[in-house]
Amino acid sequence: QYSLIKDVVSSLKRHRMHEQQFTHHPLLVLSNFGLQQIQVKLMASMFQNMFPSINVHRVNLNSIKRCLLISYNTETQLLDFRHYSVKVVPVGVNKALKKLLQEKFPNMSRLEDISELL
């Protein structure tokens, strides 16, 4: 069973698809692949080799735009693929500064100085 991308996009209220999303490899998350069966280990190895490994100490968080979650169901022996869009947003700052950090320019027509915005 699968869904076409046009069906997924049409069902969303606000979709976030842009060309920069596919310039870097996704972050791969494997779930329930810890079993000792040889076919499960082979599947996990195949998925890990499809995408390059990520060094968590050196990775730029802004370069991670997608997450691919692959879950293995042991009862039905089926794989579930989920593809997520990831967005890094600043936390713990006021709304005006967050807009500046996200390269969105706020309306400053009522302000006399940038310090009033901050």
Side-chain angles (χ1 to χ4, degrees), residues 87-90 95-105:
K87 182 179 178 183
V88 178
V89 294
K95 190 174 182 179
L97 188 58
K98 189 182 291 188
K99 282 185 181 181
L100 282 176
L101 292 173
Q102 292 178 344
E103 297 178 2
K104 296 178 184 176
F105 298 104

Side-chain angles (χ1 to χ4, degrees), residues 1 4 12 16-17 21 25-26 31 33-34 40 45 64-65 74 85 88 90 92-93 102 104 106 108 113 115:
Q1 297 175 355
L4 296 175
L12 299 174
R16 289 186 14 229
M17 285 193 55
Q21 236 176 339
H25 297 286
S31 178
F33 281 88
V40 176
S45 176
I64 298 176
K65 302 291 184 187
T74 56
S85 175
V88 178
V93 295
Q102 292 178 344
K104 296 178 184 176
M108 296 180 12
D113 191 2
S115 63

Side-chain angles (χ1 to χ4, degrees), residues 81-95:
F81 288 81
R82 298 285 177 149
H83 197 198
Y84 297 98
S85 175
V86 177
K87 182 179 178 183
V88 178
V89 294
V91 185
V93 295
N94 65 16
K95 190 174 182 179

Side-chain angles (χ1 to χ4, degrees), residues 15-87:
H15 63 84
R16 289 186 14 229
M17 285 193 55
H18 47 84
E19 294 175 11
Q20 295 174 352
Q21 236 176 339
F22 300 100
T23 57
H24 297 285
H25 297 286
L27 175 66
L28 179 65
V29 178
L30 299 177
S31 178
N32 296 329
F33 281 88
L35 302 174
Q36 297 299 322
Q37 300 169 346
I38 189 69
Q39 67 269 21
V40 176
K41 286 183 179 181
L42 183 63
M43 282 190 299
S45 176
M46 179 191 69
F47 289 127
Q48 287 171 345
N49 290 320
M50 286 175 67
F51 304 102
S53 61
I54 296 175
N55 186 344
V56 293
H57 300 293
R58 294 184 185 167
V59 70
N60 181 5
L61 290 180
N62 291 326
S63 68
I64 298 176
K65 302 291 184 187
R66 299 177 293 141
C67 178
L68 179 62
L69 171 65
I70 303 174
S71 297
Y72 178 68
N73 190 337
T74 56
E75 295 174 5
T76 62
Q77 295 184 347
L78 294 176
L79 292 172
D80 291 327
F81 288 81
R82 298 285 177 149
H83 197 198
Y84 297 98
S85 175
V86 177
K87 182 179 178 183

